[in-house]
Amino acid sequence: MNKFIEILGKIGLTFQIVKTAFAAALSWFIATSLLHSEYPYFAAVAAIITVQVTVADSVDKATQRIIGIIGGVLLSMLLGHWFKIGAISIFFIILIGMAISKALRMNPQIISQVAISSLLVLAFGQTKEGYAFERIIETVVGSAVAVLINALVVPQNAVPDVERSILRYSRLAADTLTSLMALVNHTGTRIKTGRSEVDALIKEAKECRKTLDLAEQSLKYNPLLKHKRDRLSQLAKSILQLESITIQIRGIRRSLADLQLNHRAQLEQPYVQQLKRTMQATAACIAAYGQAAIQDTPEQQEALKATIEQAQAEQSRSLISLHSLTSLPTLRDMGSILTDLGRMVAETENYTEPIFPQEPAISDL
């Protein structure tokens, strides 16, 4: 079945297109068979415009169109008594309608719809009694049909997209932390900063957040996917914690860059190797956390627990080794690095706690 759907998608027959065509046809049928409308194509047009990627978008589009239709109809009915159809009347009707809509700070799409409706009612309303009222009814019918079909016929479930995004994000976070190991006691002529790697991680964080926002929109006003909201809340918390981990990685990059600039205090190899082991163990912990976030199984939880214990053990060894350092700048930077590594592990430990919605500081990175 999935193979067949994939083949149809390659030739352009996606679910979105099929739902749009079905909504237009059903709107036409209702307008002609039940309402006996003389202009059923307005219902079909409303359906085509209203079907969007998510139900929330469809509701928003339907609301905008209906408000615009009503506004345009009222304007034409008020001014149509003094104007006959012509270039001058069209100019003033559209000018006044769009100006009032703009002054009321309406959506740009509503403003355009007011102008279109004003023009059509001015053109046909004077020769066809009841035309203005029929325009409103047909638009409401087409919009309602589109919203219902979008919600009930193969509703979009973006939760798997969020899971894949989290997996990519966590793996990149682990890889980025591992790549920063190259900055430890780097003695080459060209100073490495790790900035490009961290910038790529921040970009991935923003993409993951966008995927989550789209998934939240896909579940809004969608009764068939209501059970997915709890799962999405869990994934939202995972993203929030990964964003916090990203902030810690950024701090580690800065501290390692400071260590490089402090040429007078090159770390001895025992410190270097222990710090690298600690960073490697923490990176493994981040990767295991991402896997456990999308596959909450006993096996994954045990694997995460093992990596957490290993990371904590390596961090303790690194902390103990600091007692013999005599350089205050080096001690400060090393302490900052270990603090950030400890916070990362703490984030992975708390992934099953209740969610407290809040906006992360990732935009400030």
Side-chain angles (χ1 to χ4, degrees):
M1 182 64 179
N2 291 335
K3 186 68 175 179
F4 178 70
I5 294 174
E6 184 179 348
I7 294 174
L8 292 178
K10 289 182 178 179
I11 62 175
L13 292 178
T14 63
F15 277 127
Q16 189 71 15
I17 292 176
V18 173
K19 287 196 291 186
T20 301
F22 181 53
L26 183 58
S27 298
W28 180 284
F29 173 79
I30 293 175
T32 54
S33 301
L34 301 181
L35 302 179
H36 306 289
S37 173
E38 295 184 22
Y39 305 94
Y41 43 82
F42 286 125
V45 168
I48 293 171
I49 295 175
T50 302
V51 175
Q52 300 293 312
V53 176
T54 66
V55 178
D57 289 337
S58 292
V59 172
D60 185 56
K61 184 72 69 173
T63 302
Q64 293 174 7
R65 185 166 178 81
I66 292 172
I67 292 175
I69 290 290
I70 294 175
V73 167
L74 292 177
L75 181 65
S76 290
M77 290 177 66
L78 290 173
L79 301 181
H81 297 290
W82 294 278
F83 290 102
K84 291 185 177 180
I85 187 67
I88 296 178
S89 61
I90 290 174
F91 172 78
F92 280 108
I93 285 288
I94 294 177
L95 180 69
I96 295 172
M98 297 187 75
I100 294 175
S101 302
K102 184 69 174 179
L104 295 176
R105 301 184 183 278
M106 291 185 175
N107 188 287
Q109 294 187 1
I110 296 179
I111 296 175
S112 299
Q113 189 61 59
V114 168
I116 294 172
S117 299
S118 300
L119 173 61
L120 292 175
V121 173
L122 182 66
F124 299 104
Q126 295 177 349
T127 59
K128 174 68 171 64
E129 185 178 355
Y131 173 82
F133 180 73
E134 290 180 6
R135 278 282 287 145
I136 296 176
I137 295 300
E138 290 154 2
T139 299
V140 171
V141 168
S143 299
V145 168
V147 171
L148 289 175
I149 287 178
N150 211 19
L152 302 179
V153 179
V154 194
Q156 183 198 31
N157 177 19
V159 172
D161 294 335
V162 178
E163 293 176 339
R164 287 189 290 269
S165 183
I166 288 176
L167 189 59
R168 288 194 305 269
Y169 186 9
S170 62
R171 287 175 177 173
L172 182 59
D175 292 342
T176 301
L177 183 58
T178 302
S179 69
L180 293 181
M181 291 167 53
L183 278 67
V184 180
N185 203 30
H186 178 70
T187 57
T189 56
R190 184 179 179 182
I191 296 178
K192 294 183 179 180
T193 64
R195 184 179 295 276
S196 60
E197 291 87 347
V198 173
D199 287 345
L201 179 60
I202 293 173
K203 182 179 179 181
E204 184 65 32
K206 293 178 179 178
E207 290 298 322
C208 190
R209 175 59 61 174
K210 289 180 182 178
T211 304
L212 175 64
D213 292 341
L214 179 60
E216 290 175 342
Q217 282 289 101
S218 71
L219 297 184
K220 194 174 182 181
Y221 308 125
N222 200 327
L224 296 185
L225 296 179
K226 187 177 181 179
H227 62 286
K228 297 290 185 179
R229 292 174 186 170
D230 291 339
R231 174 57 177 162
L232 195 60
S233 295
Q234 295 174 354
L235 296 176
K237 186 193 175 191
S238 296
I239 293 176
L240 190 66
Q241 291 175 313
L242 284 172
E243 288 171 331
S244 179
I245 288 172
T246 300
I247 293 173
Q248 312 309 324
I249 291 176
R250 180 173 180 261
I252 289 175
R253 186 204 70 79
R254 285 181 171 177
S255 297
L256 289 174
D258 290 341
L259 276 176
Q260 281 191 16
L261 294 175
N262 187 14
H263 297 292
R264 295 175 299 174
Q266 290 293 334
L267 286 175
E268 296 178 3
Q269 279 306 307
Y271 294 111
V272 171
Q273 296 306 318
Q274 181 56 50
L275 181 56
K276 287 183 176 180
R277 285 193 294 268
T278 303
M279 293 175 67
Q280 186 67 57
T282 306
C285 187
I286 296 171
Y289 168 76
Q291 194 68 44
I294 64 172
Q295 295 179 353
D296 191 10
T297 62
E299 294 78 13
Q300 292 295 342
Q301 290 186 14
E302 284 299 320
L304 175 58
K305 182 179 178 181
T307 58
I308 289 175
E309 291 175 351
Q310 179 64 29
Q312 289 174 334
E314 294 296 343
Q315 289 176 13
S316 296
R317 295 188 186 99
S318 293
L319 187 61
I320 293 172
S321 69
L322 295 182
H323 75 279
S324 58
L325 286 176
T326 58
S327 171
L328 289 179
T330 303
L331 184 62
R332 178 201 63 202
D333 293 331
M334 288 289 289
S336 176
I337 292 170
L338 291 178
T339 299
D340 286 333
L341 290 172
R343 287 171 177 167
M344 291 184 200
V345 175
E347 290 290 346
T348 63
E349 280 187 295
N350 299 327
Y351 82 103
T352 57
E353 291 182 356
I355 300 170
F356 298 94
Q358 62 185 55
E359 284 300 320
I362 197 69
S363 58
D364 298 330
L365 292 177

